[in-house]
Amino acid sequence: MISQQNDVVIVGAGPTGLLLAGDLAAAGVRTTVLERRLEESNLTRAFAVHARTLEQLDARGLADELISTGAQVPSLRLFGGVRVDLSSLPSRHPFVLITPQYQVERLLQRRAVAAGANLVRGAEVTGLRQDADGVDVDVTTQDGPVTVRTSYVVGADGLRSRVRAALGLPFPGKAVVTSLMLADVRLAEPPRDVLMVNAVGDAFAFVAPFGDGWYRVFAWNRRNQQPDGVPVDLTELREVTREALGTDFGMHDPRWMSRFHSDERQAPQYRVGRVFLAGDAAHVHSPAGGQGMNTGLQDAANLGWKLAAAVQGRAADALLDTYHAERHPVGRMVLRGSGAIIRLALIRSRPAQAARTMILRTALRLGPARRRMAGMISGVGIRYAAPRGAHPQVGTRAEDLPLAGDQAGGRLAEALRGGMFVLVAPSGADAAAARAWGDRVRVVTPTAATPLTLVRPDGYIAWVSEESEPGRRDEQLRVALGEWCGAPVVSQESDAVRSGTGQK
Ligand SMILES: Cc1cc2nc3c(=O)[nH]c(=O)nc-3n(C[C@H](O)[C@H](O)[C@H](O)COP(=O)(O)OP(=O)(O)OC[C@H]3O[C@@H](n4cnc5c(N)ncnc54)[C@H](O)[C@@H]3O)c2cc1C
């Protein structure tokens, strides 16, 4: 049943909507998810879960379970034997996890519902109107039309987003690759490499295992470009795979085959008043690099704590604007990166293909280029813009520091599981000021020398101080906590009196 008591209505129960729903509900926000499909999806589009996404799942206690469902791949082979090594990523998860999208959705749905999100299936959003105090959402349900009132709406409703259309936002861009053939098949002679990809002449093919005996195949044949509706022929799929990879691995028994085109598009605004766009509703691009679901999940992780703070009256409206400011440039970068990979993969002439391979090999031999590429693909290298004069670490992702004693299970990712800010306070640093924000800031002690660091609930660094004078550092900390976490719950004076530090 659809509740009328909503703080946030999320449209779409794909991976983006489900992660967001879990974060909001866990923070005590009244959250409804409207999903037009009656059943859970068992269709697998995405199958690559990158390191940064695994870190976000770890910070929600979900990574180990997801990892147990798939295969870990420590390096990515691009074309012509060029590899991107992920094994030296500065992450607890230095690999890409190959697992079907439905495993991610199941896990996130279970968490969201357990946390109290109201997931309503068979509910299709058809339009919305917003005013100064809230949003009215028109929904068609199995029992007829209904209008739902809420404070905020998030359109996580995919490529053909109704929410985006209702906002009147364009979705500019174009098709980047057409007539891409997609199939899930059995292989009589599975490849030794976990991921196989190559392009030769007019053919491109990619093969990856799901880990349960099924393999995902992408193939593209420049000589036979067809509209999406034209069925895929297994013989053609085998031929193209042979041309690109030298063998078709004894491909047989497809469970489904489909032909699609891939667009590169991005909404110009991720926020219009009380309505936000996230995931495929905000950006779509080619599947090259396996970025779509991962980027949507990062959108959700960025937006969740900000919306929760706004609903609970702890954030200025400007905090909500930072969602667009931080995530739109990332979306643009992902569009460009995956576009570059697919364009390079589909280069036509043999001399150009040879030059591509040589340039990539040379570039990736250089440490910084290799690290940049691995950081971009894995998401670990993503950072948000910092204010002028901020400490160089501000805006970067916080590394999973070991913590002293058995605090929070011993790692920063575990300390983040409560959805709170985490203040990393080296032993000896007085963090008493944070007590006045005790309902939203958790204080932990690192085992290694680390400056006083405030980490946001999404694992990015908000503020760092290397100030050694205790009084000035304390004052800076109070200012940072006020800016990031809102007004203190306990007045600072009464807190100081209670802790004895303010008595004269
Ligand atoms: C072939 C292929 C391979 C891919 N491989 C990868 C990969 O390896 N890694 C990766 O990260 N990404 C990959 N992607 C992209 C990935 O699948 C998407 O980016 C991801 O599903 C986006 O998640 P989402 O939650 O934003 O949207 P979606 O998954 O599209 O979910 C949107 C949900 O909204 C619902 N909905 C839509 N309209 C309404 C409405 N009006 N009312 C109510 N509900 C509505 C839909 O039913 C759906 O459940 C791939 C995509 C394709 C096509």
Side-chain angles (χ1 to χ4, degrees):
M1 210 179 105
I2 304 183
S3 165
Q4 288 293 347
Q5 309 295 316
N6 300 295
D7 298 317
V8 179
V9 164
I10 296 168
V11 186
T16 306
L18 290 171
L19 181 85
L20 181 62
D23 283 7
L24 289 169
V29 172
R30 295 171 305 174
T31 305
T32 293
V33 185
L34 302 175
E35 168 55 56
R36 70 172 171 209
R37 277 188 282 118
L38 280 169
E39 307 289 339
E40 281 177 35
S41 167
N42 62 0
L43 185 83
T44 277
R45 291 188 288 158
F47 51 85
V49 182
H50 287 295
R52 184 67 188 126
T53 305
L54 290 169
E55 291 179 348
Q56 290 289 3
L57 295 175
D58 190 16
R60 290 159 179 81
L62 302 172
D64 290 344
E65 189 174 344
L66 188 69
I67 289 169
S68 72
T69 67
Q72 300 175 24
V73 179
S75 73
L76 293 177
R77 206 178 120 173
L78 296 180
F79 4 78
V82 176
R83 282 181 187 274
V84 178
D85 178 29
L86 302 172
S87 65
S88 52
L89 278 174
S91 171
R92 186 180 172 83
H93 312 287
F95 51 84
V96 53
L97 179 73
I98 305 298
T99 192
Q101 179 166 334
Y102 64 78
Q103 295 283 12
V104 178
E105 293 183 9
R106 272 181 203 160
L107 206 60
L108 293 175
Q109 175 172 322
R110 195 183 70 207
R111 167 180 180 253
V113 171
N118 180 22
L119 171 57
V120 186
R121 291 193 172 275
E124 177 161 5
V125 169
T126 54
L128 56 80
R129 293 163 302 287
Q130 55 177 320
D131 55 50
D133 305 316
V135 191
D136 289 313
V137 184
D138 299 327
V139 192
T140 302
T141 70
Q142 288 178 306
D143 304 323
V146 53
T147 296
V148 183
R149 181 77 177 166
T150 179
S151 302
Y152 296 98
V153 169
V154 181
D157 50 345
L159 172 68
R160 292 183 185 79
S161 169
R162 280 306 275 270
V163 173
R164 192 182 61 232
L167 292 173
L169 286 176
F171 202 35
K174 58 181 186 312
V176 57
V177 53
T178 56
S179 199
L180 202 47
M181 294 176 282
L182 188 63
D184 287 356
V185 297
R186 299 276 188 191
L187 299 181
E189 300 138 26
R192 259 185 290 133
D193 266 341
V194 181
L195 292 186
M196 296 290 292
V197 59
N198 206 17
V200 174
D202 288 330
F204 165 87
F206 172 96
V207 178
F210 284 119
D212 59 358
W214 288 100
Y215 286 78
R216 164 62 49 90
V217 179
F218 284 108
W220 184 77
N221 180 3
R222 195 190 313 270
R223 295 184 302 266
N224 186 25
Q225 294 287 296
Q226 301 287 349
D228 287 357
V230 173
V232 174
D233 172 26
L234 184 61
T235 311
E236 184 188 2
L237 197 71
R238 296 182 69 152
E239 273 171 24
V240 176
T241 309
R242 269 200 304 273
E243 201 174 329
L245 295 173
T247 166
D248 64 17
F249 307 105
M251 202 179 288
H252 61 98
D253 284 342
R255 64 178 164 187
W256 70 280
M257 299 196 288
S258 138
R259 190 183 299 273
F260 74 106
H261 73 278
S262 179
D263 283 356
E264 240 173 37
R265 298 180 184 277
Q266 188 177 26
Q269 280 164 265
Y270 284 12
R271 177 187 185 192
V272 177
R274 293 176 167 275
V275 184
F276 299 80
L277 295 176
D280 275 17
H283 45 76
V284 289
H285 35 80
S286 90
Q291 300 290 308
M293 178 177 72
N294 288 276
T295 309
L297 292 172
Q298 302 294 336
D299 290 346
N302 185 289
L303 182 56
W305 63 275
K306 296 174 182 174
L307 263 182
V311 166
Q312 292 162 352
R314 293 186 273 107
D317 192 62
L319 182 68
L320 294 178
D321 283 337
T322 66
Y323 169 64
H324 169 90
E326 292 182 340
R327 294 305 302 171
H328 191 272
V330 173
R332 199 170 51 226
M333 187 194 77
V334 170
L335 240 76
R336 285 187 186 149
S338 80
I341 295 175
I342 196 87
R343 286 181 179 90
L344 280 174
L346 303 183
I347 280 179
R348 183 164 209 174
S349 78
R350 281 185 193 262
Q353 287 177 351
R356 168 196 71 192
T357 304
M358 199 186 74
I359 291 167
L360 268 175
R361 274 209 189 123
T362 310
L364 291 177
R365 233 177 264 138
L366 303 171
R370 214 173 40 230
R371 278 195 294 277
R372 242 196 331 275
M373 180 80 133
M376 188 198 88
I377 291 180
S378 65
V380 162
I382 286 171
R383 62 172 300 164
Y384 298 136
R388 194 181 290 240
H391 188 281
Q393 284 181 9
V394 170
T396 61
R397 108 194 198 289
E399 284 197 22
D400 191 15
L401 299 171
L403 303 178
D406 60 356
Q407 294 174 63
R411 294 186 292 120
L412 180 64
E414 291 165 301
L416 285 165
R417 285 182 189 167
M420 293 165 79
F421 283 84
V422 174
L423 182 65
V424 180
S427 72
D430 180 11
R435 243 183 266 144
W437 284 266
D439 62 332
R440 63 211 100 128
V441 180
R442 175 168 195 175
V443 182
V444 297
T445 312
T447 53
T450 309
L452 187 62
T453 303
L454 183 64
V455 181
R456 310 180 342 178
D458 59 358
Y460 287 84
I461 293 178
W463 172 86
V464 180
S465 172
E466 305 228 36
E467 175 61 60
S468 54
E469 199 283 306
R472 273 205 297 271
R473 189 177 56 214
D474 196 56
E475 184 48 36
Q476 289 173 0
L477 174 60
R478 284 176 201 277
V479 171
L481 289 168
E483 276 175 13
W484 280 99
C485 312
V489 172
V490 186
S491 96
Q492 291 172 19
E493 262 149 54
S494 61
D495 180 56
V497 168
R498 252 210 321 273
S499 67
T501 54
Q503 288 172 355
K504 301 220 163 94

